[in-house]
Amino acid sequence: MKGTKIAAAAVVIAAAAFIGYRFLDQEEAETVYESRPTVTAETPRQEDIILYTELIGTVEPVSKADVIPKMAGEVLEVNFQAGDHVEAGQVLCRLDSDALTSLKLNVDSAQLTLAEAQRNLSRIQALYESGTVSQQELEQVQSAAQNAGIAYEAAQNQYNLQLEYTTITAPISGTVESRNIEVHDFASTGMPICTIASDGQIQVDFGVTERTFSNISVGEAVSIEKGGNTYEATVTEIGSMLNAATGLYDVTAVLNEQADLANGSRVKLTVVRDQALGAMTVPLSAVNYDGGIPYVYCLENGIAVRTDVEVGIHDEERIEILGGLEDGSQVIYSWSNELVDGAEVLLKGASEATEESGQEAGEDA
C-alpha cells in the first residue's frame, strides 16, 4: 500500500515537470532576441560653419600729428603739457633763431637798395624829361629799380615766413600725447616737440595670421572688449604684405561709436578665423579616422557601409564634408563597438516601431 502511494506521487511529479517544461519551452520559442546594434542616422545638412579667434589690439586715434619745427632755434616759451587738450591753431611754443637775425639784415639791406634805386629813377626820369638822358638810360634805371623791388619783396617774404615758423601752433585739435621740449632747449627740424592725438573716432590696430587674412575683408564687423564693455568696429584697412617685425598682416578697425578707451591701451578683439558658408555638414561624432583617413558609416538597406570622405573645418558640433557623400546619404552618427563595415544595424526609429508592433500583437493575442 505504501509503495503504491509513492509510485502515484512520482507519476504526479513527473507529469508536473513535463507540463512545466512544455510551458517554458513555448515561452522561449516565442521570445525573439535582437542582436543588431541600434543606431541613429541623418542626412547631411547645408549650413554655415564660422570659427572665431581672439586677438589683442592697440587703441590709437584715427589721426595723429607729430609737431615738428620748420626751423631750428632756442625754445623761448612752452605753452602746453602732456595730456592737455589743444585746439587747432593754438600757440604751443615760440623759438628764437640766429637765421631770423640774418634774414632781417637781408631785408634791411634790400630796403636800402630799393630806396636808392627809386631815388636814382626819379633823378633820371627828370633828366629824361629835360632831354639830358636817352630813352635807353631811362629804361636801364627803371629795370634796376624794378629788380630792387623784387629783391626786397623776396627778402621780406622770406623773413616773414621764418618769423612765422618761430611760433609753433597746433595743426589739429586733440590731446597732447607727449611733450619733448623744455624752455631753453634747442629745437631741431628733425625732432617732434610733441604728438597730438585727434579728437573724435578711435581705431584699433592688430595683426592677423595668413589663414585669418584670407577670411577678413574691409567693411567686416569685429567685436572689441575692454573692462567688461563690448564695442563694435569696422575693418577699414588691411595690409597686403607681412609685417617684418611681427610676421603678421597689419589690420585697422575703426570703432562705430564713441568709447572711453585710452590711446595705447590693449583690447581684446574677436574676428573670423575661418568659415564655410552653405557647406555640407554632418555631426562631428559621425567622422572616424583610420590612419589619418576620415570616414563615416552610411546606412544602406540595414547595413553599415564604411565610406571615406574629405573633410574641411569643424566647430564643436558639425564638420564640413568636401567630398564622398551625396545629399541623401544616411550617415550614422551614434557610436557602437559593434559598428563595423558590413554589420547589420537597426535604425533607432525602426527599432522603436518594431517594439510597438510586437506589443500590439501581444495584446491582441
Side-chain angles (χ1 to χ4, degrees):
M1 186 70 176
K2 185 176 180 181
T4 301
K5 289 181 179 180
I6 292 173
V11 170
V12 171
I13 292 171
F18 177 75
I19 292 171
Y21 171 79
R22 291 296 302 273
F23 178 75
L24 292 174
D25 184 57
Q26 184 177 1
E27 279 191 342
E28 289 180 0
E30 291 177 353
T31 302
V32 178
Y33 292 98
E34 181 57 68
S35 61
R36 294 174 296 174
T38 301
V39 298
T40 52
E42 70 170 41
T43 57
R45 300 180 193 170
Q46 299 292 326
E47 57 189 359
D48 300 339
I49 297 180
I50 302 177
L51 306 180
Y52 296 92
T53 186
E54 293 183 349
L55 304 171
I56 299 298
T58 304
V59 176
E60 298 288 348
V62 169
S63 64
K64 63 168 56 179
D66 289 330
V67 182
I68 301 175
K70 294 182 180 179
M71 67 177 297
E74 181 186 1
V75 179
L76 298 180
E77 62 181 64
V78 180
N79 304 317
F80 68 94
Q81 296 288 341
D84 287 353
H85 184 275
V86 296
E87 298 294 334
Q90 179 178 329
V91 175
L92 301 177
C93 68
R94 299 184 190 276
L95 306 178
D96 183 27
S97 173
D98 293 338
L100 194 62
T101 302
S102 177
L103 290 174
K104 185 62 170 65
L105 292 175
N106 291 340
V107 171
D108 293 342
S109 175
Q111 187 176 22
L112 291 173
T113 301
L114 175 60
E116 178 64 26
Q118 288 175 338
R119 285 194 299 268
N120 190 38
L121 176 59
S122 297
R123 183 176 61 83
I124 297 299
Q125 182 74 39
L127 292 174
Y128 172 76
E129 292 175 356
S130 65
T132 306
V133 298
S134 65
Q135 176 72 30
Q136 183 179 4
E137 290 178 313
L138 175 62
E139 290 177 352
Q140 289 176 348
V141 174
Q142 287 175 333
S143 178
Q146 184 178 10
N147 290 337
I150 293 173
Y152 171 73
E153 185 177 353
Q156 186 66 57
N157 288 340
Q158 184 66 20
Y159 173 78
N160 291 340
L161 184 62
Q162 293 297 316
L163 181 62
E164 180 182 343
Y165 289 164
T166 61
T167 301
I168 302 175
T169 60
I172 60 174
S173 297
T175 302
V176 178
E177 287 190 336
S178 61
R179 167 177 157 166
N180 307 319
I181 60 167
E182 299 293 341
V183 175
H184 303 307
D185 283 352
F186 182 81
S188 67
T189 57
M191 179 74 175
I193 65 168
C194 68
T195 299
I196 301 175
S198 65
D199 293 331
Q201 286 184 306
I202 59 176
Q203 66 186 34
V204 175
D205 297 332
F206 58 100
V208 298
T209 63
E210 186 172 356
R211 184 171 185 178
T212 304
F213 171 79
S214 62
N215 287 284
I216 195 170
S217 58
V218 172
E220 182 175 329
V222 296
S223 177
I224 296 174
E225 294 181 35
K226 178 70 173 181
N229 297 318
T230 302
Y231 310 94
E232 294 299 321
T234 302
V235 175
T236 57
E237 185 178 353
I238 302 174
S240 59
M241 298 180 61
L242 286 171
N243 185 314
T246 64
L248 302 172
Y249 290 93
D250 293 328
V251 182
T252 297
V254 175
L255 268 71
N256 301 333
E257 56 190 301
Q258 294 291 335
D260 187 18
L261 297 175
N263 293 333
S265 62
R266 298 281 187 169
V267 295
K268 183 173 71 174
L269 300 97
T270 302
V271 301
V272 174
R273 174 171 57 86
D274 209 346
Q275 61 182 348
L277 305 179
M280 174 185 284
T281 70
V282 299
L284 183 61
S285 59
V287 179
N288 304 283
Y289 292 85
D290 182 5
I293 299 175
Y295 68 92
V296 300
Y297 286 109
C298 290
L299 181 61
E300 298 180 8
N301 300 320
I303 303 297
V305 178
R306 170 175 165 163
T307 305
D308 291 345
V309 293
E310 182 182 357
V311 298
I313 65 173
H314 66 84
D315 57 19
E316 295 179 353
E317 298 180 356
R318 311 288 296 181
I319 186 168
E320 178 187 13
I321 301 297
L322 300 175
L325 294 180
E326 302 294 335
D327 290 339
S329 299
Q330 284 286 101
V331 180
I332 298 172
Y333 63 89
S334 59
W335 181 87
S336 171
N337 57 2
E338 299 176 354
L339 191 61
V340 295
D341 188 28
E344 292 187 9
V345 295
L346 183 64
L347 189 62
K348 183 177 182 181
S351 173
E352 293 173 351
T354 301
E355 290 178 0
E356 292 178 358
S357 298
Q359 291 175 359
E360 291 176 358
E363 292 173 357
D364 292 342

